[in-house]
Amino acid sequence: MRIALYQPEIAGNVGAILRLAACMAVPVEIIEPCGFVFDDKRLKRAAMDYGPLAEMRRHADWAAFQDFVRAQGARLVLMSSKATSSVYRTAFADNDILLMGSESAGVPAHVRDACDLLTTIPMAPGVRSLNISVATGIALGEALRQTRHLGEA
């Protein structure tokens, strides 16, 4: 299981996701360009002392990331507010990569089309989306519950 962030824009969100990843022992793939300087103080503040504990890899662009995905033999699962299939009805696999779009624009059509599966977090009517770090935590929690029995001793 991995988390991938497509051209993230907000350092604090990436820091929070790195902290989540360190705590759950899940690698993070960053697909550049980012909307902030990667050594940004806000990134370090949000990740706290967990940042160095997170396994993280940066990819120069979408094409480089796709090469990585193919080499891993992974399934790419896009989390999207536009998907119709619930994350709670999605059958996750150990080698899935949970792809999160950028905060303001999500992912372009060619990225969406390259994904193996699209899924969403059901929300109350009239709301648009969750914060990306919150959505990542919800999706990762469900994926790990299914694949690694998260929460069991």
Side-chain angles (χ1 to χ4, degrees):
M1 188 69 56
R2 292 175 181 276
I3 298 166
L5 305 177
Y6 180 82
Q7 300 182 354
E9 300 166 327
I10 302 172
N13 287 337
V14 175
I17 291 168
L18 289 175
R19 183 175 180 178
L20 169 71
C23 290
M24 298 295 147
V26 173
V28 177
E29 310 299 327
I30 307 286
I31 305 159
E32 301 207 24
C34 294
F36 56 91
V37 177
F38 209 81
D39 63 354
D40 192 299
K41 285 186 261 184
R42 290 169 291 186
L43 174 67
K44 291 177 183 171
R45 184 180 313 127
M48 297 176 51
D49 55 338
Y50 294 87
L53 301 175
E55 181 184 335
M56 182 194 64
R57 183 178 297 106
R58 293 165 66 183
H59 303 272
D61 54 27
W62 174 247
F65 175 70
Q66 283 186 297
D67 291 342
F68 170 80
V69 172
R70 280 190 289 278
Q72 297 293 310
R75 184 173 72 159
L76 201 50
V77 180
L78 176 63
M79 298 301 304
S80 172
S81 60
K82 296 173 179 68
T84 57
S85 176
S86 168
V87 69
Y88 303 111
R89 297 192 187 277
T90 298
F92 289 97
D94 287 331
N95 69 337
D96 283 346
I97 299 176
L98 303 177
L99 177 62
M100 311 302 287
S102 68
E103 289 91 320
S104 68
V107 299
H110 75 278
V111 170
R112 183 179 56 252
D113 293 345
C115 293
D116 300 296
L117 181 65
L118 279 68
T119 189
T120 192
I121 299 166
M123 296 182 292
V127 296
R128 202 172 58 250
S129 64
L130 292 163
N131 172 280
I132 191 171
S133 59
V134 172
T136 302
I138 291 169
L140 181 63
E142 177 59 16
L144 291 178
R145 183 192 68 79
Q146 289 183 28
T147 60
R148 297 194 341 203
H149 306 288
L150 182 66
E152 294 180 10

